[in-house]
Amino acid sequence: MAARSIIALVSVAEVVATDLADHLKRRGHDVRAVRQPWEAESLLSGKDIDVVVVGDSLSQAEGRDLLRRHGGEGGPDFILICRPADLVDKVLALELGAADVVESPLNVRELAARIGGLLARRGRNAGELVVLENATVDLRSAMVMHRSGTEEQLSPGQVALLRLFLASPRKVLTRDDIIAAAPAENADAFDRSIDSRIVRLRRKLDTETITTIRGAGYRFDPPTQFAD
């Protein structure tokens, strides 16, 4: 799979940063959060950031200063969070090249969608081809292409389950996590049916990357192609 997009959260309020980071990580993005301007300078000098979200706990002047130094052609896209009354600051940020300015209080899902839109324009959406040990999966067409040349179709539920594992590499997912994020395709599914779903998915993918963690749940251990 293509390298993950990197989103920097700079001085974003902790409650928002936590929810936003969780939301983005579950969609396969890498999130790096810092609180202080000097930490942001160090992070942004790395030149590998795709989108920067600057929170309103940083002054608007400091946010614009980061934008001047690290935005522009070849730099990351900036989203600045401002207070509703800061119309002048909002206009100044846009004139300096901010990709977006959003007002607080904000909706985390909406902000994540705006970030996704910027990543799409940069051509940085997560790739749709997943290379495993014995097969390649095209998530867009839900097709498993085995090394032997045979092909199999994934069901919508199996695609959702695979996407969940891909978005949470090396993380143990409990049955409750799986039921909440990738519900079964029939309404009368119950807890132990998760075991059967995992067995069927592993068999169809011909993979050992989805490991059963006794008494805890399941973990996806990416092949070397997925290494950060």
Side-chain angles (χ1 to χ4, degrees):
M1 181 176 280
R4 292 186 291 176
S5 303
I6 302 176
I7 294 91
L9 307 183
V10 178
S11 297
V12 176
E14 186 173 355
V15 63
V16 174
T18 300
D19 289 347
L20 180 60
D22 183 67
H23 199 77
L24 293 170
K25 287 175 181 177
R26 286 185 175 275
R27 282 148 184 78
H29 305 305
D30 186 5
V31 181
R32 302 176 187 178
V34 295
R35 297 294 302 166
Q36 303 300 327
W38 65 267
E39 294 176 303
E41 289 290 347
S42 177
L43 176 61
L44 299 183
S45 64
K47 306 299 183 185
D48 57 351
I49 306 297
D50 294 295
V51 177
V52 181
V53 180
V54 180
D56 59 5
S57 55
L58 196 69
S59 74
Q60 292 297 308
E62 288 174 312
R64 291 195 300 271
D65 204 29
L66 287 176
L67 174 59
R68 287 191 191 94
R69 288 197 299 278
H70 300 285
E73 188 174 354
D77 288 318
F78 273 73
I79 297 177
L80 273 63
I81 300 173
C82 72
R83 296 179 179 83
D86 294 339
L87 178 59
V88 173
D89 288 320
K90 182 175 182 177
V91 172
L92 286 173
L94 292 171
E95 288 178 343
L96 285 172
D100 204 351
V101 179
V102 297
E103 295 183 353
S104 60
L106 51 85
N107 181 285
V108 167
R109 290 182 179 273
E110 178 186 355
L111 181 54
R114 289 172 183 257
I115 292 170
L118 293 178
L119 291 172
R121 282 189 285 182
R122 295 173 71 91
R124 295 287 290 133
N125 275 349
E128 293 294 287
L129 288 180
V130 181
V131 180
L132 299 173
E133 314 99 299
N134 303 304
T136 298
V137 184
D138 185 342
L139 290 172
R140 193 178 299 278
S141 62
M143 184 69 68
V144 182
M145 297 163 282
H146 293 280
R147 297 283 184 268
S148 63
T150 61
E151 296 182 347
E152 291 186 81
Q153 196 77 31
L154 293 175
S155 69
Q158 288 174 328
V159 171
L161 186 55
L162 178 54
R163 286 188 183 276
L164 174 62
F165 281 118
L166 293 172
S168 308
R170 292 173 289 274
K171 177 182 177 181
V172 176
L173 299 175
T174 66
R175 289 185 175 87
D176 286 341
D177 290 333
I178 295 171
I179 291 171
E185 296 172 73
N186 55 69
D188 59 350
F190 55 94
D191 183 57
R192 300 303 298 180
S193 72
I194 295 297
D195 301 328
S196 298
R197 292 177 64 196
I198 298 295
V199 168
R200 289 194 296 270
L201 180 63
R202 278 196 294 228
R203 185 181 299 133
K204 187 169 285 190
L205 298 177
D206 191 15
T207 184
E208 298 297 324
T209 58
I210 301 172
T211 306
T212 301
I213 308 301
R214 188 179 298 274
Y218 299 91
R219 184 183 69 218
F220 174 65
D221 295 307
T224 55
Q225 295 97 323
F226 287 74
D228 293 336

